[in-house]
Coordinates of all heavy atoms in Angstrom, one line a residue:
S1 N 31.4 -25.2 -64.9 CA 31.6 -24.1 -63.9 C 32.8 -24.5 -63.1 O 32.7 -25.6 -62.4 CB 30.3 -24.0 -63.1 OG 30.6 -23.1 -62.0
L2 N 33.8 -23.7 -63.1 CA 35.0 -24.0 -62.3 C 34.7 -23.9 -60.8 O 35.2 -24.7 -60.0 CB 36.1 -23.0 -62.7 CG 37.5 -23.2 -61.9 CD1 38.1 -24.5 -62.2 CD2 38.5 -22.1 -62.4
G3 N 33.9 -22.9 -60.4 CA 33.5 -22.8 -59.0 C 32.8 -24.0 -58.5 O 33.1 -24.5 -57.4
E4 N 31.8 -24.5 -59.3 CA 31.0 -25.7 -58.8 C 31.9 -26.9 -58.8 O 31.8 -27.7 -57.9 CB 29.9 -25.9 -59.8 CG 28.8 -24.9 -59.7 CD 27.6 -25.2 -60.7 OE1 27.7 -26.3 -61.3 OE2 26.7 -24.4 -60.8
A5 N 32.9 -27.0 -59.7 CA 33.8 -28.1 -59.7 C 34.7 -28.1 -58.4 O 34.9 -29.1 -57.8 CB 34.7 -28.1 -60.9
G6 N 35.2 -26.9 -58.1 CA 36.0 -26.7 -56.9 C 35.2 -27.1 -55.6 O 35.7 -27.7 -54.7
I7 N 34.0 -26.6 -55.5 CA 33.2 -26.9 -54.4 C 32.9 -28.3 -54.3 O 32.9 -28.9 -53.2 CB 31.8 -26.0 -54.4 CG1 32.1 -24.5 -54.3 CG2 30.9 -26.5 -53.3 CD1 30.9 -23.7 -54.5
S8 N 32.6 -29.0 -55.4 CA 32.3 -30.4 -55.4 C 33.5 -31.2 -55.0 O 33.3 -32.1 -54.2 CB 31.9 -30.8 -56.8 OG 31.7 -32.2 -56.9
L9 N 34.7 -30.8 -55.4 CA 35.9 -31.5 -55.0 C 36.1 -31.3 -53.5 O 36.4 -32.3 -52.8 CB 37.1 -31.0 -55.7 CG 38.5 -31.5 -55.4 CD1 38.5 -33.0 -55.7 CD2 39.6 -30.8 -56.2
G10 N 35.9 -30.1 -52.9 CA 36.1 -29.9 -51.5 C 35.2 -30.7 -50.7 O 35.6 -31.3 -49.7
I11 N 33.9 -30.7 -51.1 CA 32.9 -31.4 -50.3 C 33.2 -32.9 -50.4 O 33.1 -33.6 -49.4 CB 31.5 -31.1 -50.9 CG1 31.1 -29.7 -50.6 CG2 30.5 -32.1 -50.3 CD1 29.8 -29.3 -51.2
S12 N 33.6 -33.4 -51.5 CA 33.9 -34.8 -51.7 C 35.0 -35.3 -50.8 O 34.9 -36.3 -50.2 CB 34.2 -35.1 -53.2 OG 34.5 -36.4 -53.4
I13 N 36.1 -34.5 -50.7 CA 37.3 -34.9 -49.9 C 37.0 -34.8 -48.4 O 37.2 -35.7 -47.7 CB 38.5 -34.0 -50.3 CG1 38.9 -34.3 -51.7 CG2 39.6 -34.2 -49.3 CD1 40.0 -33.4 -52.2
I14 N 36.4 -33.6 -48.0 CA 36.1 -33.4 -46.6 C 35.1 -34.4 -46.1 O 35.2 -35.0 -45.0 CB 35.6 -32.0 -46.3 CG1 36.8 -31.0 -46.6 CG2 35.2 -31.8 -44.9 CD1 36.3 -29.5 -46.6
G15 N 34.0 -34.6 -46.9 CA 33.0 -35.6 -46.5 C 33.6 -37.0 -46.5 O 33.2 -37.8 -45.6
G16 N 34.5 -37.4 -47.4 CA 35.1 -38.7 -47.4 C 36.0 -38.9 -46.1 O 35.9 -40.0 -45.5
F17 N 36.7 -37.9 -45.7 CA 37.5 -38.0 -44.5 C 36.5 -38.2 -43.3 O 36.8 -39.0 -42.4 CB 38.3 -36.7 -44.3 CG 39.7 -36.8 -44.8 CD1 40.0 -36.3 -46.1 CD2 40.7 -37.3 -44.1 CE1 41.2 -36.4 -46.7 CE2 42.0 -37.4 -44.6 CZ 42.3 -36.9 -45.9
A18 N 35.5 -37.4 -43.2 CA 34.5 -37.5 -42.1 C 33.9 -38.9 -42.0 O 33.8 -39.5 -40.9 CB 33.4 -36.5 -42.2
V19 N 33.5 -39.5 -43.2 CA 32.8 -40.8 -43.2 C 33.8 -41.9 -42.8 O 33.5 -42.8 -42.0 CB 32.2 -41.1 -44.6 CG1 31.8 -42.5 -44.7 CG2 31.1 -40.1 -44.9
G20 N 35.1 -41.8 -43.3 CA 36.1 -42.7 -43.0 C 36.4 -42.7 -41.5 O 36.5 -43.8 -40.8
I21 N 36.5 -41.6 -40.9 CA 36.8 -41.5 -39.4 C 35.6 -42.0 -38.6 O 35.7 -42.8 -37.7 CB 37.0 -40.0 -39.0 CG1 38.3 -39.5 -39.6 CG2 37.0 -39.8 -37.5 CD1 38.5 -38.0 -39.5
L22 N 34.3 -41.7 -39.1 CA 33.2 -42.2 -38.4 C 33.0 -43.7 -38.4 O 32.8 -44.3 -37.4 CB 31.9 -41.6 -39.0 CG 30.6 -42.1 -38.5 CD1 30.4 -41.7 -37.1 CD2 29.4 -41.5 -39.4
T23 N 33.2 -44.3 -39.6 CA 33.0 -45.8 -39.7 C 34.2 -46.5 -39.0 O 33.9 -47.6 -38.4 CB 33.0 -46.2 -41.1 OG1 34.1 -45.7 -41.8 CG2 31.7 -45.7 -41.8
A24 N 35.4 -46.0 -39.0 CA 36.5 -46.6 -38.2 C 36.2 -46.5 -36.7 O 36.5 -47.5 -36.0 CB 37.8 -45.9 -38.6
F25 N 35.7 -45.4 -36.3 CA 35.3 -45.3 -34.9 C 34.2 -46.2 -34.5 O 34.3 -46.9 -33.4 CB 34.9 -43.8 -34.6 CG 34.3 -43.6 -33.2 CD1 35.2 -43.5 -32.1 CD2 32.9 -43.6 -33.0 CE1 34.6 -43.3 -30.8 CE2 32.4 -43.4 -31.7 CZ 33.3 -43.3 -30.6
V26 N 33.2 -46.4 -35.3 CA 32.1 -47.3 -35.0 C 32.6 -48.7 -35.0 O 32.2 -49.5 -34.1 CB 30.9 -47.1 -36.1 CG1 29.9 -48.2 -35.9 CG2 30.3 -45.8 -35.9
N27 N 33.5 -49.1 -36.0 CA 34.0 -50.4 -36.0 C 34.8 -50.7 -34.8 O 34.7 -51.8 -34.2 CB 34.9 -50.5 -37.3 CG 35.5 -51.9 -37.4 OD1 36.6 -52.2 -36.9 ND2 34.9 -52.8 -38.1
R28 N 35.6 -49.7 -34.3 CA 36.4 -49.9 -33.1 C 35.5 -50.0 -31.9 O 35.7 -50.8 -31.0 CB 37.4 -48.8 -32.9 CG 38.4 -49.0 -31.8 CD 39.2 -50.2 -32.0 NE 40.0 -50.5 -30.9 CZ 40.6 -51.7 -30.7 NH1 40.5 -52.7 -31.5 NH2 41.4 -51.9 -29.6
W29 N 34.4 -49.3 -31.8 CA 33.5 -49.3 -30.7 C 32.8 -50.7 -30.7 O 32.6 -51.2 -29.6 CB 32.4 -48.2 -30.9 CG 31.4 -48.2 -29.8 CD1 31.5 -47.8 -28.5 CD2 30.0 -48.7 -30.0 NE1 30.3 -48.0 -27.9 CE2 29.4 -48.6 -28.7 CE3 29.3 -49.3 -31.0 CZ2 28.1 -49.0 -28.5 CZ3 28.0 -49.7 -30.8 CH2 27.4 -49.6 -29.6
L30 N 32.4 -51.2 -31.8 CA 31.8 -52.5 -31.8 C 32.8 -53.6 -31.4 O 32.4 -54.5 -30.6 CB 31.3 -52.9 -33.2 CG 30.1 -52.1 -33.7 CD1 29.8 -52.4 -35.2 CD2 28.8 -52.5 -32.9
Q31 N 34.0 -53.5 -31.7 CA 35.0 -54.5 -31.3 C 35.2 -54.4 -29.8 O 35.2 -55.4 -29.1 CB 36.4 -54.2 -31.9 CG 36.5 -54.6 -33.4 CD 37.8 -54.3 -34.0 OE1 38.4 -53.2 -33.8 NE2 38.4 -55.2 -34.7
T32 N 35.2 -53.2 -29.2 CA 35.3 -53.0 -27.8 C 34.1 -53.5 -27.0 O 34.2 -54.2 -26.0 CB 35.5 -51.5 -27.4 OG1 36.7 -51.0 -28.2 CG2 35.8 -51.3 -26.0
L33 N 32.9 -53.3 -27.6 CA 31.7 -53.8 -27.0 C 31.7 -55.3 -27.0 O 31.3 -55.9 -25.9 CB 30.5 -53.2 -27.8 CG 29.1 -53.7 -27.3 CD1 28.8 -53.2 -25.9 CD2 28.0 -53.2 -28.3
L34 N 32.0 -56.0 -28.1 CA 32.0 -57.4 -28.1 C 33.0 -58.0 -27.1 O 32.8 -59.0 -26.5 CB 32.3 -57.9 -29.5 CG 31.2 -57.7 -30.6 CD1 31.6 -58.1 -32.0 CD2 29.9 -58.4 -30.2
L35 N 34.1 -57.3 -27.0 CA 35.2 -57.8 -26.1 C 34.8 -57.6 -24.7 O 35.1 -58.5 -23.8 CB 36.5 -57.0 -26.4 CG 37.8 -57.5 -25.8 CD1 38.1 -58.9 -26.3 CD2 38.9 -56.6 -26.1
S36 N 34.1 -56.5 -24.4 CA 33.7 -56.2 -23.0 C 32.6 -57.2 -22.5 O 32.6 -57.5 -21.3 CB 33.1 -54.8 -22.9 OG 32.0 -54.7 -23.6
V37 N 31.8 -57.7 -23.4 CA 30.8 -58.7 -23.0 C 31.2 -60.2 -23.2 O 30.4 -61.1 -23.2 CB 29.4 -58.4 -23.7 CG1 28.9 -57.1 -23.3 CG2 29.6 -58.6 -25.2
R38 N 32.5 -60.3 -23.6 CA 33.1 -61.6 -23.9 C 32.4 -62.4 -25.0 O 32.2 -63.6 -24.9 CB 33.2 -62.4 -22.6 CG 34.0 -61.8 -21.5 CD 34.2 -62.7 -20.3 NE 35.0 -62.1 -19.3 CZ 35.3 -62.6 -18.1 NH1 34.8 -63.8 -17.8 NH2 36.1 -62.0 -17.3
A39 N 32.0 -61.6 -26.0 CA 31.3 -62.2 -27.2 C 32.1 -62.2 -28.4 O 31.6 -62.4 -29.5 CB 29.9 -61.6 -27.4
S40 N 33.4 -61.8 -28.2 CA 34.2 -61.6 -29.4 C 35.1 -62.9 -29.7 O 35.5 -63.5 -28.7 CB 35.2 -60.4 -29.2 OG 36.0 -60.2 -30.3

């Protein structure tokens, strides 16, 4: 199904961007937290 393949590709790309942004933000937040409590 061409339609299902297109939807699958769109979800895969958009979801990948969202997860990458989320984990990078969490990683940066953890770095800032450790630095603020002088545990880094």
Side-chain angles (χ1 to χ4, degrees):
S1 172
L2 182 61
E4 290 182 3
I7 293 173
S8 175
L9 178 62
I11 293 174
S12 179
I13 293 175
I14 295 172
F17 268 94
V19 171
I21 293 171
L22 174 64
T23 54
F25 172 78
V26 171
N27 180 271
R28 187 60 188 164
W29 177 79
L30 287 173
Q31 286 180 315
T32 304
L33 178 64
L34 291 174
L35 192 62
S36 65
V37 297
R38 297 184 179 181
S40 182

